[in-house]
Amino acid sequence: MERNITSVGAFMGMTAIIFGAFGAHALKEHLSIEQLNSFETGVKYQMYHALFLLILGMNGIISEKAKKAVFQMVIFGVIFFSGSIYLLTTKTMTGMDLKFIGIMTPVGGASLIAAWSVLFWNIMKAKR
């Protein structure tokens, strides 16, 4: 499980850098400042949670069951939170009407909050 978690964390970190560079260079002339700022928020949260997964994968304090739950919530949360932001901010370029995706952002954010909460709870209840 640790290898899966850390490899996904590394992949998320790598793609966050790619998306960040894409946003800073390729999208700069096509999006407004507000859209670029939103895109950057998606990149930041993806990177934060890539680092989160790297630390989780190397953490021996919590159970494998808890790690798996946190891992799944983070993946779901990043895809829904950051992914929806990426799609919504670039909709002027794609010409696609993606209003229905707007609900995915807070659902993803709630999943990320839940992941941190489960981690916190499991650390607090871990035997010393």
Side-chain angles (χ1 to χ4, degrees):
M1 181 48 100
E2 285 81 10
R3 183 179 171 152
N4 290 342
I5 294 171
T6 54
S7 63
V8 170
F11 179 78
M12 275 186 173
M14 177 189 70
T15 55
I17 292 169
I18 292 168
F19 289 150
F22 179 69
H25 301 290
L27 298 179
K28 192 175 188 176
E29 297 185 17
H30 301 284
L31 302 180
S32 69
I33 295 296
E34 293 81 19
Q35 290 170 312
L36 285 171
N37 286 339
S38 292
F39 192 90
E40 186 178 321
T41 297
V43 171
K44 285 179 188 177
Y45 275 74
Q46 182 177 336
M47 182 56 83
Y48 298 152
H49 289 87
L51 298 171
F52 177 93
L53 289 179
L54 291 174
I55 293 167
L56 177 68
M58 296 181 225
N59 184 322
I61 296 173
I62 66 172
S63 70
E64 289 296 311
K65 183 179 175 183
K67 278 186 186 182
K68 185 175 182 178
V70 171
F71 177 52
Q72 291 171 344
M73 285 184 267
V74 168
I75 291 172
F76 178 82
V78 168
I79 290 170
F80 273 53
F81 184 81
S82 295
S84 65
I85 289 174
Y86 299 149
L87 291 172
L88 289 168
T89 56
T90 59
K91 71 181 176 182
T92 55
M93 292 175 58
T94 63
M96 296 169 35
D97 181 20
L98 302 169
K99 289 181 185 175
F100 68 95
I101 291 178
I103 190 65
M104 292 171 60
T105 311
V107 170
S111 182
L112 295 173
I113 292 167
W116 283 95
S117 299
V118 170
L119 177 64
F120 175 73
W121 175 254
N122 278 274
I123 289 171
M124 294 305 291
K125 75 175 193 168
K127 295 182 181 176
R128 297 173 198 243

